[in-house]
Amino acid sequence: MSYISDQKPFRGAVRAARSWLHSDAPSLSLNGSWQFRLSPRADVPDTIEWDTIEVPSHFGTPIYTNVQYPFPIDPPFVPDENPTGDYRRHIEVPPEWLGTGRVVLRFDGVESLFKVWVNDQEIGYASGSRLAHEFDVTASLKAGDNVIAVRVHQWSAASYLEDQDQWWRPGIFRDVTLRHSPDGGIEDAWLRASFHDGHGFLEPEIVSEGFPVTLRIPALGIEKVWEDAASVVAFDVGEVRPWSAELPFLYAAALSTTAETVSLRLGFRTVEIRGDQFLVNGRRVVFHGMNRHETHPVRGRVFDEEHARADLARMKQFNVNAIRTSHYPPHPRLLDLADELGFWVILECDLETHGFSALDWAGNPSDDPSWRAACLDRIERTVERDKNHPSIVIWSLGNEAGTGSNLAAMSAWVHGRDPSRPVHYEGDHAGEYTDVYSRMYSSVLETTAIGTDGSRAKLLGCTPAQGARQRTKPFLLCEYAHAMGNGPGALDQYEELVHRFPRLHGGFVWEWRDHGILTTAADGTPYYAYGGDFGEVVHDGNFVMDGMVLSNDVPTPGLHEYKAVVQPIRFSFGAGSVELANLRHSADTSDLAFRWQVTHDGEATSSGDLTVAAIEAGASARVPLPAVDIAAAPAETWLTVEAVLAEDTAWAPAGHVVAVAQLDCSAPRAVAATPREPRWEPGDGTLTLGPAAFDQGTLVRLAGRTVAGPRLELFRAPTDNDEGTSGNPAESDGSLAGVSNAALWRRDGLDRLTTRVVSVSTAPGALKTVSRVAAAHSGRSVVVETVWTLAGDELDLRVSIEPSRGWSTVWPRIGIRFDFPDGDNPIDSAEWFGTGPLESYPDSRHAALVGRFSAGISDLSADYARPQETGHRAGLRSLTLGGGLRIDTVPDTRGRRPGFTLTRHTPQEMARAPHPYQLPPSTTSYLFIDAAQHGLGSRACGPDVWPDFALRPEARTIRLRIR
Ligand code: GAL
């Protein structure tokens, strides 16, 4: 049997796992150019010519699968068609490294199995792609020139343990280092730093043959010498400032022997589960977290520190306070950044066997003794490498690996090695070996049932007794709010539960970034590729594009919504005052400044600062508001209050908005009366009404522009959630198990409606048309009555939309569309008074503020990786297009105003284009005025739209005033 199918994780001179330490011992980076040759098979014939490759990088062709194994499930074997890369390079070893101490060759990440030779002597092999491996190469090195060779196989037995939902991308993708470990140096160190009653405590563990060892913590005036290992004991370091994700105080520390010094940064904090609550430093933690993969549009999983730092800063800017390192340990530097910027981290082991679900978990490595050594090796390497980081507050055994004895053994190992941090694993549904209760994508109803004491609601995979046990533990959503395409909806509903039920500790959005790979179409157009774009035999399409940040680093509207929903300062307006609640874990509000602004119809009329004494974490304070001068109706008056950073931080400049709220102070408005119906006479409908010209009842010119419409539009380019089939339909409204809403819309022909004009009539200064709109082979219809009335220099348009009986599904939208062909004066921008600046939908509307905004047409849409519905801005008051045409909306009898979308493509065109570059060239700007839009939900992987935000077919009226 070839070593490729060896279930043992390594053989040969592999050294024990240890911390990733910053040391002053000499080392050589072996990153850079290596000789390289690639074979499509596991053997590499000598006929293949050498080329070169940059290390770190990936080789081969990317393959994207979610659950599927891209090779037959035949454990522990993999096909002979196994892309294999041979790497070689020469190195000059400093002569002083030889003859004393040891020389260690370290690999921080190689996917998936690699074998190492030094000067043609075989050193060993190892697997565990996102884990560090060190080989002792002392005996094989010689003075002067040495040759290091590495053979990397894409597939191996280890691939069965690495079935994460991401691209399969082999290669030496993290750093390679040769280091000299001096005699009497420090082999490993763990400075466990805890916090109790204002004091820091250190419990050191030092592996060294070089005692005495000296510990120095200059900021605390500590210099401690331990003569031997036996004298190393825990001690009180005195008063310290504790570490938290909000106030990440770090103390520089150094451990020295005469041969080596390693430096660490200590964060004093104590993690604890008390009853059903998860506490740090005695206070309950709420995770406003993101699942973070290592992914970069050009570099793949190769770490780019600047990019990662910018991403983490972006997380902080968007009120994210936690990271789950889905689904493997990241590059070790990421954790330094997390310590420094401040995040609660769930550090996850590199383990997933999801594809075995296709066999009903038969043969699952998580429960097969022949894989135990590999599973244990993985968790050991995970914990040992990163154990010193204060940001890590929970260890996670892996993801979607079913359940079984090997997972239980991994958990037991962690409990033995690090009792100071709880163990997480979502797949332990019954709570047999983990410390926190975790679920993914549980609906709002189920999550409520988990939070509720005494609830008998059955919990997934649990007997009643197991359910009772799970309810004794802190609960978190390790994944929720699947952020694929336009969405997710309902973030606010999940957030509300966290504040209602102390057992619920928040969760981690799936996921932070899209994993698009920057590539080019045949005609050279750049685009972000997803599954299937590289000719994969099996793949999962665009399911890898489910981030809160697009591949090009642009935050989605969903991330803006998230920021608004989880904002750490909450505002409740009362008469003449506002109550400010500080929901943070430990930081007071002394880092914030508070300011206010009054606007009349979106124009600022006054502004100022609020004086707010620091509010402790968890406390609130009532603060008087300025007197607001209220504009005469129909103008609107809004008061906006913001909490902004008072000073620059490591992650955002002074003035960055942390939290914001608005209060509508407008004088009461009278509801606009519907113009009295004139006496209609049948007419041919060819006439001019002020700025509008009609030809046989059809609008043809408006304000000097060629135009078509308004036509009824009920379709939207399905979002990934509209195309989704997951969730429990019983909890939503009208969705069918296993059938997407988009499929029902296509079935009912919403994307291919046809029109028959029933009547055209006129009156002095007025025109009315009645049409019947319906799809081929359908008896269902919608009657649309359009009435144009000239009133002075304003044109009043009323469109009444009335569905027939028999429509059985939710509708994506109820709206009308105007087409403005470019001619020589294209409509390429909009100014509006309404909500903005970004899009909003019924279940995702917290980031939308009322104000005056303007944008170019391309900035009005989000660039989702697969074209889909985007750009709806609800609550439109007034819109000016192309500088001239002004459209005001009139609220309907229930006070509702329509929203608008301005775009270069129809929903039908967008629905047909798998990627943006496949959209047809556009010669028209399309304006949609929607009386209503369906919510977003997160059914791509999770619940459908909550009933309150589902759009049922219903009669609606849209009223506009056009100038
Ligand atoms: C989860 C899984 C993630 C991802 C997500 C859907 O089940 O843990 O890795 O696949 O679903 O995007």
Side-chain angles (χ1 to χ4, degrees), residues 623-666:
V623 175
L625 286 170
V628 175
D629 68 306
I630 293 168
E636 293 182 37
T637 300
W638 286 82
L639 170 70
T640 305
V641 181
E642 289 175 335
V644 304
L645 286 181
E647 279 169 21
D648 292 354
T649 64
W651 46 269
H656 164 82
V657 177
V658 172
V660 59
Q662 283 191 313
L663 179 67
D664 185 355
C665 306
S666 310

Short mmCIF file of all heavy atoms in Angstrom, two decimals, residues 623-666:
data_model
loop_
_atom_site.label_atom_id
_atom_site.label_comp_id
_atom_site.label_asym_id
_atom_site.label_seq_id
_atom_site.Cartn_x
_atom_site.Cartn_y
_atom_site.Cartn_z
N VAL A 623 -30.24 61.07 28.13
CA VAL A 623 -29.55 62.31 27.79
C VAL A 623 -30.55 63.25 27.13
O VAL A 623 -31.31 62.82 26.26
CB VAL A 623 -28.39 61.99 26.80
CG1 VAL A 623 -27.72 63.25 26.33
CG2 VAL A 623 -27.40 61.04 27.44
N PRO A 624 -30.59 64.53 27.55
CA PRO A 624 -31.54 65.45 26.92
C PRO A 624 -31.18 65.72 25.45
O PRO A 624 -30.00 65.75 25.09
CB PRO A 624 -31.42 66.74 27.74
CG PRO A 624 -30.22 66.59 28.59
CD PRO A 624 -29.80 65.16 28.62
N LEU A 625 -32.19 65.91 24.65
CA LEU A 625 -32.00 66.22 23.23
C LEU A 625 -32.25 67.69 22.99
O LEU A 625 -32.99 68.32 23.75
CB LEU A 625 -32.99 65.40 22.39
CG LEU A 625 -32.68 63.91 22.26
CD1 LEU A 625 -33.85 63.18 21.62
CD2 LEU A 625 -31.40 63.70 21.46
N PRO A 626 -31.68 68.25 21.92
CA PRO A 626 -31.96 69.65 21.62
C PRO A 626 -33.41 69.80 21.19
O PRO A 626 -34.04 68.83 20.76
CB PRO A 626 -31.04 69.92 20.43
CG PRO A 626 -30.86 68.59 19.78
CD PRO A 626 -30.85 67.60 20.90
N ALA A 627 -33.93 71.02 21.30
CA ALA A 627 -35.28 71.28 20.78
C ALA A 627 -35.21 71.19 19.26
O ALA A 627 -34.30 71.75 18.65
CB ALA A 627 -35.74 72.66 21.21
N VAL A 628 -36.12 70.47 18.68
CA VAL A 628 -36.10 70.26 17.23
C VAL A 628 -37.09 71.22 16.58
O VAL A 628 -38.27 71.24 16.96
CB VAL A 628 -36.48 68.80 16.91
CG1 VAL A 628 -36.59 68.59 15.40
CG2 VAL A 628 -35.46 67.84 17.52
N ASP A 629 -36.63 72.04 15.63
CA ASP A 629 -37.58 72.90 14.93
C ASP A 629 -38.21 72.09 13.80
O ASP A 629 -37.52 71.47 13.01
CB ASP A 629 -36.90 74.17 14.41
CG ASP A 629 -35.93 73.88 13.31
OD1 ASP A 629 -35.04 73.02 13.54
OD2 ASP A 629 -36.06 74.46 12.23
N ILE A 630 -39.51 72.04 13.80
CA ILE A 630 -40.21 71.13 12.92
C ILE A 630 -40.72 71.87 11.70
O ILE A 630 -41.38 72.91 11.82
CB ILE A 630 -41.34 70.44 13.70
CG1 ILE A 630 -40.67 69.53 14.75
CG2 ILE A 630 -42.25 69.62 12.78
CD1 ILE A 630 -41.56 68.99 15.78
N ALA A 631 -40.41 71.33 10.53
CA ALA A 631 -40.82 71.97 9.28
C ALA A 631 -42.33 71.82 9.10
O ALA A 631 -42.92 70.84 9.57
CB ALA A 631 -40.10 71.31 8.11
N ALA A 632 -42.90 72.79 8.41
CA ALA A 632 -44.35 72.71 8.15
C ALA A 632 -44.61 71.54 7.20
O ALA A 632 -43.84 71.33 6.25
CB ALA A 632 -44.84 74.02 7.54
N ALA A 633 -45.67 70.80 7.46
CA ALA A 633 -46.05 69.72 6.55
C ALA A 633 -46.31 70.33 5.18
O ALA A 633 -46.73 71.50 5.11
CB ALA A 633 -47.29 69.02 7.09
N PRO A 634 -46.06 69.69 4.07
CA PRO A 634 -45.73 68.27 3.99
C PRO A 634 -44.24 67.95 4.13
O PRO A 634 -43.87 66.80 3.93
CB PRO A 634 -46.23 67.91 2.59
CG PRO A 634 -45.99 69.15 1.78
CD PRO A 634 -46.24 70.29 2.73
N ALA A 635 -43.38 68.93 4.42
CA ALA A 635 -41.96 68.59 4.57
C ALA A 635 -41.79 67.65 5.76
O ALA A 635 -42.60 67.65 6.69
CB ALA A 635 -41.15 69.87 4.77
N GLU A 636 -40.72 66.86 5.71
CA GLU A 636 -40.44 65.92 6.80
C GLU A 636 -39.27 66.43 7.63
O GLU A 636 -38.31 66.97 7.09
CB GLU A 636 -40.06 64.55 6.24
CG GLU A 636 -41.20 63.86 5.53
CD GLU A 636 -40.79 62.47 5.04
OE1 GLU A 636 -40.02 61.78 5.75
OE2 GLU A 636 -41.24 62.10 3.95
N THR A 637 -39.36 66.24 8.93
CA THR A 637 -38.27 66.60 9.83
C THR A 637 -37.75 65.33 10.50
O THR A 637 -38.52 64.56 11.08
CB THR A 637 -38.76 67.57 10.91
OG1 THR A 637 -39.24 68.74 10.26
CG2 THR A 637 -37.64 67.93 11.88
N TRP A 638 -36.47 65.10 10.39
CA TRP A 638 -35.85 63.93 11.03
C TRP A 638 -34.71 64.38 11.93
O TRP A 638 -33.94 65.27 11.58
CB TRP A 638 -35.30 62.97 9.97
CG TRP A 638 -36.38 62.21 9.27
CD1 TRP A 638 -37.15 62.63 8.23
CD2 TRP A 638 -36.83 60.89 9.57
NE1 TRP A 638 -38.04 61.67 7.86
CE2 TRP A 638 -37.87 60.57 8.66
CE3 TRP A 638 -36.46 59.92 10.52
CZ2 TRP A 638 -38.54 59.34 8.68
CZ3 TRP A 638 -37.11 58.70 10.53
CH2 TRP A 638 -38.14 58.42 9.63
N LEU A 639 -34.63 63.70 13.07
CA LEU A 639 -33.49 63.90 13.98
C LEU A 639 -32.63 62.64 13.90
O LEU A 639 -33.14 61.52 14.02
CB LEU A 639 -34.00 64.08 15.41
CG LEU A 639 -32.92 64.05 16.50
CD1 LEU A 639 -32.05 65.31 16.43
CD2 LEU A 639 -33.57 63.93 17.88
N THR A 640 -31.34 62.83 13.65
CA THR A 640 -30.41 61.70 13.58
C THR A 640 -29.41 61.83 14.72
O THR A 640 -28.86 62.92 14.94
CB THR A 640 -29.65 61.71 12.23
OG1 THR A 640 -30.61 61.73 11.17
CG2 THR A 640 -28.77 60.49 12.08
N VAL A 641 -29.20 60.75 15.46
CA VAL A 641 -28.20 60.75 16.54
C VAL A 641 -27.18 59.66 16.24
O VAL A 641 -27.55 58.55 15.85
CB VAL A 641 -28.87 60.50 17.91
CG1 VAL A 641 -27.83 60.52 19.02
CG2 VAL A 641 -29.94 61.54 18.19
N GLU A 642 -25.91 60.02 16.38
CA GLU A 642 -24.84 59.06 16.06
C GLU A 642 -23.85 58.96 17.21
O GLU A 642 -23.57 59.95 17.87
CB GLU A 642 -24.03 59.56 14.86
CG GLU A 642 -24.75 59.51 13.54
CD GLU A 642 -23.90 60.13 12.43
OE1 GLU A 642 -23.04 60.99 12.73
OE2 GLU A 642 -24.11 59.75 11.29
N ALA A 643 -23.31 57.75 17.36
CA ALA A 643 -22.14 57.56 18.23
C ALA A 643 -20.97 57.32 17.30
O ALA A 643 -21.00 56.43 16.46
CB ALA A 643 -22.35 56.35 19.13
N VAL A 644 -19.94 58.17 17.45
CA VAL A 644 -18.78 58.04 16.56
C VAL A 644 -17.52 57.88 17.40
O VAL A 644 -17.50 58.24 18.58
CB VAL A 644 -18.64 59.27 15.63
CG1 VAL A 644 -19.90 59.50 14.83
CG2 VAL A 644 -18.29 60.53 16.44
N LEU A 645 -16.48 57.35 16.78
CA LEU A 645 -15.21 57.23 17.50
C LEU A 645 -14.67 58.62 17.79
O LEU A 645 -14.58 59.46 16.89
CB LEU A 645 -14.18 56.47 16.66
CG LEU A 645 -14.37 54.96 16.52
CD1 LEU A 645 -13.22 54.39 15.68
CD2 LEU A 645 -14.40 54.27 17.89
N ALA A 646 -14.30 58.86 19.05
CA ALA A 646 -13.77 60.17 19.42
C ALA A 646 -12.34 60.32 18.95
O ALA A 646 -11.88 61.43 18.67
CB ALA A 646 -13.85 60.34 20.93
N GLU A 647 -11.62 59.19 18.87
CA GLU A 647 -10.22 59.26 18.46
C GLU A 647 -9.92 58.13 17.48
O GLU A 647 -10.66 57.16 17.40
CB GLU A 647 -9.31 59.11 19.68
CG GLU A 647 -9.18 60.42 20.40
CD GLU A 647 -8.53 60.31 21.75
OE1 GLU A 647 -7.82 59.31 21.99
OE2 GLU A 647 -8.75 61.22 22.55
N ASP A 648 -8.80 58.27 16.80
CA ASP A 648 -8.36 57.20 15.90
C ASP A 648 -8.13 55.92 16.70
O ASP A 648 -7.64 55.97 17.83
CB ASP A 648 -7.03 57.58 15.24
CG ASP A 648 -7.17 58.74 14.27
OD1 ASP A 648 -8.32 59.17 14.02
OD2 ASP A 648 -6.13 59.20 13.76
N THR A 649 -8.47 54.80 16.09
CA THR A 649 -8.13 53.51 16.67
C THR A 649 -7.29 52.76 15.65
O THR A 649 -7.08 53.24 14.54
CB THR A 649 -9.39 52.66 16.97
OG1 THR A 649 -10.02 52.39 15.70
CG2 THR A 649 -10.37 53.39 17.86
N ALA A 650 -6.89 51.54 16.02
CA ALA A 650 -6.09 50.73 15.09
C ALA A 650 -6.91 50.29 13.89
O ALA A 650 -6.38 49.83 12.90
CB ALA A 650 -5.53 49.52 15.82
N TRP A 651 -8.23 50.43 13.99
CA TRP A 651 -9.08 49.88 12.93
C TRP A 651 -10.00 50.90 12.27
O TRP A 651 -10.67 50.58 11.28
CB TRP A 651 -9.90 48.70 13.46
CG TRP A 651 -10.55 48.96 14.79
CD1 TRP A 651 -10.00 48.70 16.02
CD2 TRP A 651 -11.83 49.54 15.03
NE1 TRP A 651 -10.87 49.09 17.01
CE2 TRP A 651 -12.01 49.60 16.43
CE3 TRP A 651 -12.86 50.01 14.21
CZ2 TRP A 651 -13.16 50.11 17.02
CZ3 TRP A 651 -14.01 50.52 14.80
CH2 TRP A 651 -14.15 50.56 16.19
N ALA A 652 -10.04 52.11 12.74
CA ALA A 652 -10.86 53.14 12.08
C ALA A 652 -10.45 54.51 12.59
O ALA A 652 -9.99 54.65 13.73
CB ALA A 652 -12.34 52.92 12.33
N PRO A 653 -10.62 55.53 11.77
CA PRO A 653 -10.26 56.88 12.19
C PRO A 653 -11.32 57.51 13.09
O PRO A 653 -12.47 57.05 13.12
CB PRO A 653 -10.18 57.64 10.86
CG PRO A 653 -11.09 56.91 9.94
CD PRO A 653 -11.09 55.47 10.38
N ALA A 654 -10.94 58.57 13.78
CA ALA A 654 -11.90 59.35 14.56
C ALA A 654 -13.05 59.76 13.65
O ALA A 654 -12.84 60.04 12.48
CB ALA A 654 -11.21 60.58 15.14
N GLY A 655 -14.26 59.76 14.19
CA GLY A 655 -15.42 60.15 13.39
C GLY A 655 -16.14 58.97 12.77
O GLY A 655 -17.27 59.11 12.30
N HIS A 656 -15.49 57.78 12.79
CA HIS A 656 -16.15 56.59 12.25
C HIS A 656 -17.45 56.34 13.02
O HIS A 656 -17.47 56.35 14.25
CB HIS A 656 -15.20 55.40 12.38
CG HIS A 656 -15.88 54.08 12.23
ND1 HIS A 656 -16.17 53.52 11.01
CD2 HIS A 656 -16.38 53.23 13.16
CE1 HIS A 656 -16.81 52.37 11.19
NE2 HIS A 656 -16.94 52.17 12.49
N VAL A 657 -18.54 56.12 12.29
CA VAL A 657 -19.85 55.93 12.94
C VAL A 657 -19.96 54.51 13.47
O VAL A 657 -19.86 53.53 12.72
CB VAL A 657 -20.99 56.22 11.94
CG1 VAL A 657 -22.34 55.95 12.60
CG2 VAL A 657 -20.91 57.66 11.44
N VAL A 658 -20.17 54.38 14.76
CA VAL A 658 -20.33 53.08 15.41
C VAL A 658 -21.81 52.71 15.49
O VAL A 658 -22.18 51.55 15.32
CB VAL A 658 -19.69 53.12 16.82
CG1 VAL A 658 -20.00 51.86 17.61
CG2 VAL A 658 -18.18 53.33 16.69
N ALA A 659 -22.65 53.70 15.77
CA ALA A 659 -24.09 53.42 15.93
C ALA A 659 -24.87 54.66 15.56
O ALA A 659 -24.39 55.78 15.72
CB ALA A 659 -24.38 53.02 17.38
N VAL A 660 -26.07 54.45 15.06
CA VAL A 660 -26.88 55.58 14.61
C VAL A 660 -28.36 55.25 14.76
O VAL A 660 -28.75 54.08 14.71
CB VAL A 660 -26.52 55.93 13.13
CG1 VAL A 660 -26.76 54.76 12.20
CG2 VAL A 660 -27.29 57.14 12.65
N ALA A 661 -29.16 56.27 15.01
CA ALA A 661 -30.61 56.08 15.05
C ALA A 661 -31.29 57.35 14.56
O ALA A 661 -30.71 58.44 14.63
CB ALA A 661 -31.07 55.77 16.47
N GLN A 662 -32.50 57.19 14.07
CA GLN A 662 -33.26 58.34 13.56
C GLN A 662 -34.64 58.39 14.19
O GLN A 662 -35.25 57.36 14.47
CB GLN A 662 -33.45 58.21 12.04
CG GLN A 662 -32.22 58.57 11.24
CD GLN A 662 -32.55 58.68 9.77
OE1 GLN A 662 -33.21 57.82 9.21
NE2 GLN A 662 -32.09 59.75 9.14
N LEU A 663 -35.11 59.61 14.36
CA LEU A 663 -36.46 59.81 14.89
C LEU A 663 -37.22 60.70 13.91
O LEU A 663 -36.73 61.76 13.51
CB LEU A 663 -36.36 60.49 16.26
CG LEU A 663 -37.69 60.80 16.95
CD1 LEU A 663 -38.41 59.50 17.33
CD2 LEU A 663 -37.45 61.65 18.20
N ASP A 664 -38.39 60.24 13.55
CA ASP A 664 -39.24 61.03 12.65
C ASP A 664 -39.99 62.06 13.49
O ASP A 664 -40.82 61.71 14.33
CB ASP A 664 -40.22 60.09 11.94
CG ASP A 664 -41.05 60.82 10.89
OD1 ASP A 664 -40.93 62.06 10.77
OD2 ASP A 664 -41.82 60.14 10.17
N CYS A 665 -39.68 63.34 13.30
CA CYS A 665 -40.31 64.40 14.09
C CYS A 665 -41.31 65.18 13.23
O CYS A 665 -41.74 66.28 13.62
CB CYS A 665 -39.25 65.38 14.60
SG CYS A 665 -37.93 64.60 15.52
N SER A 666 -41.64 64.66 12.06
CA SER A 666 -42.43 65.44 11.10
C SER A 666 -43.79 65.82 11.66
O SER A 666 -44.40 65.06 12.43
CB SER A 666 -42.65 64.62 9.83
OG SER A 666 -41.42 64.12 9.39
#
